[in-house]
Amino acid sequence: MLTVSSLGNPMPNDYTYNEHHFVPSQPKVCIIGAGPAGFALAADLKSRGTDVLIYSHPTHHRQASYVLDKGYLKAKGKITSTATPDVTYDISEAVSFTKVIILSVPSTGQETILEALKSFDLRGHTIVAIPGNLFSLVPKVGLEVENIFETNLSPYSCRMHEGELIVLGKKKLIYIGSLHANLSTHSQTQIQHIFPVEVKWCHNIIEVCLSNINGVFHPLMMLMSAGRIESTAGDFMIYADGLTQSVANAMLAVDSVRIAIGAAFGFELKGVVEVSNECYGHDFKDLVDLAQNSGPHNNLKAPPDMGHRNISEDVPDLLVCWYGLAEKLGVEASPIKAVITLVEMATGRDYMEAGRNMRKLNLEHLSRNELLDRFGVGKSKLCI
Ligand SMILES: NC(=O)c1ccc[n+]([C@@H]2O[C@H](COP(=O)([O-])OP(=O)(O)OC[C@H]3O[C@@H](n4cnc5c(N)ncnc54)[C@H](OP(=O)(O)O)[C@@H]3O)[C@@H](O)[C@H]2O)c1
């Protein structure tokens, strides 16, 4: 066996000469973010022979410290394993471990991670943000990265309690894209090689962000169950008990705006149930059917309070940017605005200002046509 470095390729990877042809060797992967989604990905990749290092930010070490204290990670459900994951609090170790970094922190934590990364030369690195929520457009003051990819969702539905991981569901596919659409098939193959699920290439990160259906599910489910969440500290099933027909009706109003924004860019976005069915390989007929019968959803307990990332991530980093795009494009978006306003009234937070608005994403100066020129389907070619 020979190993040859793929110098000059847009993606960092090595190739191994095996029998009569070159095949990509299994890369080393560093996962930044030591929560359930990061640990689930680590356990899955490790079981496939990938060398994985997990980085936990030193001030966000809730689950990492349980795992390190116990000395092992026990995973149950769709992934069953007991293993000793390699975990570090040292960002320089994370950067030097591999050229492939997967970001698995809530998008509200991405800037903290960028701050930790800013003194490193990442011109040979690839970062995949799971989910991206337009991470590529967040100003990176002086930080240059070789490639950035974004996904719409995490491959897993999972939770963690005191260092023990429960994986309720594993998706069959997730959506992925980059800022620039002219990605070679070779680079796509290398990205697919890293992932334990199929990746479906979108035109660009705007289509990926609009395909993060958590923006449809989470804020409304939380808002419309706020009383029950606060009076029971989340002692009920958020989907099975919380997603009833009226909640579903409200979600569909938000979903129709999401699809209309996509249509203005020229994307043919699927409805929320169709995206979920496609990702999990299900065939639920509507939202209530999904909430009652989908294994990855119907066993999820409600969060204990309204500070949860179902609100604090999905409102500022999805709904606020969807609303900003809709305003630019002249798409009627009052259902989305209504949800943002109610959440702001309930929490006292100014998410329109704090979230990924057009100014934060550096899109404020673009006219409608310039926005469409940059991200519309006419201008960006589909890579597959
Ligand atoms: N878990 C799921 O089933 C699921 C499903 C779909 C999508 N996702 C998405 O996948 C991402 C990760 O999910 P998760 O469940 O693993 O999330 P999480 O537990 O809330 O956070 C993941 C990790 O990021 C850390 N973190 C949070 N805020 C941070 C910040 N400001 N700076 C640095 N680190 C920070 C957390 O540490 P602390 O906890 O100590 O703050 C934790 O180690 C999220 O965007 C989530 O929406 C998750």
Side-chain angles (χ1 to χ4, degrees):
M1 281 229 199
L2 289 169
T3 302
V4 228
S5 177
S6 60
L7 271 181
N9 271 330
M11 276 285 302
N13 204 349
D14 283 348
Y15 274 68
T16 302
Y17 189 66
N18 190 356
E19 301 293 317
H20 303 296
H21 52 278
F22 288 101
V23 288
S25 38
Q26 197 71 37
K28 287 162 86 176
V29 170
C30 174
I31 298 170
I32 291 188
F39 275 114
L41 180 61
D44 206 358
L45 288 174
K46 218 171 166 180
S47 72
R48 291 154 186 265
T50 304
D51 203 0
V52 183
L53 177 67
I54 299 178
Y55 166 80
S56 174
H57 192 276
T59 60
H60 290 270
H61 55 81
R62 211 161 25 123
Q63 298 301 341
S65 46
Y66 279 118
V67 171
L68 285 171
D69 285 352
K70 283 186 183 168
Y72 62 90
L73 171 74
K74 186 166 181 192
K76 293 193 303 194
K78 298 286 175 191
I79 298 175
T80 47
S81 65
T82 303
T84 308
D86 293 320
V87 180
T88 183
Y89 294 122
D90 179 352
I91 191 72
S92 60
E93 210 183 314
V95 169
S96 59
F97 179 73
T98 174
K99 302 271 187 221
V100 181
I101 291 175
I102 296 185
L103 260 191
S104 182
V105 295
S107 49
T108 43
Q110 289 169 347
E111 286 177 59
T112 314
I113 301 301
L114 282 174
E115 186 60 30
L117 288 172
K118 77 176 183 198
S119 54
F120 295 93
D121 181 357
L122 299 181
R123 281 173 298 176
H125 280 68
T126 289
I127 296 181
V128 187
I130 303 183
N133 295 354
L134 300 186
F135 170 67
S136 308
L137 297 179
V138 171
K140 296 178 186 58
V141 274
L143 188 68
E144 283 180 59
V145 185
E146 171 85 43
N147 298 293
I148 299 179
F149 299 96
E150 302 189 16
T151 74
N152 64 332
L153 295 165
S154 155
Y156 313 95
S157 166
C158 50
R159 294 293 179 265
M160 243 173 137
H161 182 65
E162 298 186 353
E164 188 165 304
L165 175 69
I166 168 121
V167 181
L168 298 162
K170 179 177 170 185
K171 298 181 180 76
K172 293 194 178 319
L173 72 81
I174 54 174
Y175 295 9
I176 195 166
S178 66
L179 189 54
H180 307 292
N182 55 348
L183 196 68
S184 68
T185 311
H186 174 70
S187 298
Q188 291 184 0
T189 307
Q190 289 187 308
I191 282 288
Q192 179 60 77
H193 190 62
I194 297 166
F195 272 90
V197 296
E198 186 186 336
V199 294
K200 175 174 168 173
W201 288 91
C202 290
H203 293 88
N204 56 43
I205 50 165
I206 300 280
E207 187 178 13
V208 176
C209 169
L210 288 167
S211 303
N212 185 345
I213 50 173
N214 284 338
V216 177
F217 279 120
H218 291 164
L220 268 168
M221 222 158 35
M222 296 289 288
L223 254 187
M224 295 179 86
S225 295
R228 196 169 181 188
I229 288 172
E230 290 181 332
S231 61
T232 68
D235 192 14
F236 66 99
M237 297 300 169
I238 186 78
Y239 284 83
D241 299 329
L243 204 177
T244 54
Q245 191 56 56
S246 313
V247 180
N249 295 343
M251 283 179 184
L252 292 177
V254 165
D255 204 42
S256 66
V257 180
R258 180 185 69 85
I259 291 168
I261 301 167
F265 281 107
F267 309 138
E268 290 178 26
L269 299 184
K270 295 178 174 166
V272 58
V273 178
E274 238 187 306
V275 175
S276 180
N277 279 343
E278 184 187 18
C279 289
Y280 279 113
H282 291 157
D283 62 352
F284 296 113
K285 65 179 179 356
D286 56 35
L287 283 164
V288 176
D289 186 18
L290 179 152
Q292 293 299 313
N293 301 309
S294 162
H297 297 94
N298 67 4
N299 272 316
L300 279 177
K301 273 190 76 176
D305 56 57
M306 296 294 282
H308 188 261
R309 62 175 162 67
N310 282 1
I311 292 282
S312 65
E313 176 183 27
D314 295 325
V315 174
D317 290 354
L318 281 174
L319 294 190
V320 167
C321 69
W322 292 358
Y323 183 69
L325 293 172
E327 264 195 321
K328 280 258 174 219
L329 296 167
V331 171
E332 209 290 303
S334 53
I336 291 183
K337 184 68 171 39
V339 177
I340 298 170
T341 304
L342 267 173
V343 168
E344 289 186 338
M345 288 162 62
T347 61
R349 301 288 307 274
D350 185 352
Y351 282 126
M352 281 297 240
E353 176 56 28
R356 292 193 172 166
N357 54 41
M358 294 296 98
R359 181 174 43 78
K360 291 253 169 72
L361 297 173
N362 206 17
L363 300 175
E364 191 180 38
H365 60 287
L366 296 183
S367 67
R368 178 181 194 277
N369 285 344
E370 286 167 339
L371 188 66
L372 292 177
D373 275 353
R374 191 158 161 204
F375 297 110
V377 163
K379 293 285 169 188
S380 55
K381 290 191 219 83
L382 186 58
C383 304
I384 49 172

